Structures are given as C-alpha cells and as structure tokens.
Amino acid sequence: MIYEYDIEIDRTNKYKLVRVGGKKVTKEIVEYPEDAFRIINEFCRLGYKGEENCYIFAMNGISIMGVFLIQRETMDNCGMNRKNILSRLLLIGASGCIIMHNHPSQIAKPSKEDFEMFEELKKSFELMDITIIDFMIICKYNFYSFLNHDIIE
C-alpha cells in the first residue's frame, strides 16, 4: 500500500502531515526508473492526465515513504516550487525523492524549462542533504528519466 499525503495547519498553526489516500500497487520499491514509471501510472495514471501535474515519491533508500501531489493542472513548470517540495520531504523525513511530471502532449522530451527547474531544485536540495534520485517526465507509454540519460549521477 502506498499512501498519499498532504500538509495541513493544526489548531496551533503548526504544519502536519495528513494522509489523504492510499492505493495498493504491485510493487512499493523503486530499483529502476521503469519501476517509478509503472508505479506512478498505476497509482494515479499520471501519464494519462490531460493537464500537467507534478507528483513526488518521498524515498528512504529504494522504499517509497509516501506520495505527494505538488501541483495540479497548471502549465507553468507544473508548479514545482522548491519550498512546496522541500517542506513535504522534511516533514516525512525523506532522504531522497523522485520528482515526476507529465507532458500531456505525450512527448517525453525535456524542455528548456524542465532542465532549468531541475537545476534550481538540485541546488536547493543539496543544501538540505536531500537527494534527487530521479527527475522524470511521464507519458502514457513512455517516459524520460534524467537518471537514465546520465543527467543525474
């Protein structure tokens, strides 16, 4: 079972993680980018969505700790805000993450903006000692993995 989380503010104005859903998937560990592709499409059909969405897997080693929807239905870099992502990863205690967004065009090729966003996120994450395990573009039948293309060491 993989759980989706969100952040809420409690009565004392402190942030807390809240489980908002979960789904049984066939595999809960990510050893290869192909695993992440299969799991995210099984979990929420990311590659099939008609508008751009961004999800992250909060990771501890190869195990998925939780899934976060970062932004839904925007066309501006899918709303991949460093603060939004980092706050969630820090609250759940993740040591790494896999960042995934879809291209509704079904063209799994990174844009100039995708490369810029990756570099921006990478710098911020390094300061917090959180590893970007992969940065992926998800489509229905294929994907692009920065890890597979040696953009991530």
Side-chain angles (χ1 to χ4, degrees):
M1 179 74 83
I2 295 178
Y3 294 101
E4 184 174 348
Y5 294 90
D6 203 353
I7 294 179
E8 290 184 358
I9 299 173
D10 67 16
R11 288 180 284 189
T12 63
N13 287 328
K14 292 184 180 173
Y15 291 100
K16 67 176 184 174
L17 283 177
V18 178
R19 190 182 300 168
V20 294
K23 186 168 186 178
K24 185 125 178 87
V25 293
T26 54
K27 187 174 182 181
E28 298 176 20
I29 61 171
V30 178
E31 296 177 278
Y32 305 101
E34 293 79 8
D35 296 333
F37 169 70
R38 193 186 72 261
I39 292 167
I40 197 65
N41 271 334
E42 187 178 343
F43 185 81
C44 69
R45 296 179 53 86
L46 179 59
Y48 293 79
K49 296 194 181 294
E51 297 199 1
E52 199 163 343
N53 288 253
C54 176
Y55 281 83
I56 58 172
F57 285 162
M59 304 293 293
N60 183 9
I62 61 172
S63 299
I64 300 171
M65 301 172 70
V67 178
F68 292 96
L69 170 62
I70 298 301
Q71 189 66 34
R72 170 182 286 140
E73 300 176 356
T74 67
M75 297 306 285
D76 181 22
N77 286 330
C78 196
M80 284 191 263
N81 176 300
R82 291 177 301 213
K83 191 189 310 183
N84 287 346
I85 298 173
L86 279 170
S87 62
R88 286 156 174 78
L89 294 172
L90 291 169
L91 279 171
I92 203 167
S95 60
C97 68
I98 299 172
I99 303 168
M100 297 163 282
H101 71 283
N102 65 319
H103 279 186
S105 66
Q106 297 303 312
I107 299 170
K109 180 181 176 188
S111 65
K112 177 181 167 236
E113 291 80 13
D114 289 329
F115 284 106
E116 289 170 355
M117 180 57 63
F118 168 73
E119 289 300 326
E120 181 182 320
L121 291 169
K122 182 179 164 189
K123 289 176 191 171
S124 299
F125 283 42
E126 285 172 352
L127 293 172
M128 301 304 293
D129 201 27
I130 295 176
T131 303
I132 297 177
I133 298 166
D134 206 346
F135 187 88
M136 300 177 70
I137 298 163
I138 307 292
C139 296
K140 283 182 192 176
Y141 306 112
N142 60 355
F143 65 94
Y144 185 96
S145 160
F146 279 43
L147 181 64
N148 275 358
H149 286 85
D150 298 321
I151 298 165
I152 296 176
E153 296 89 36

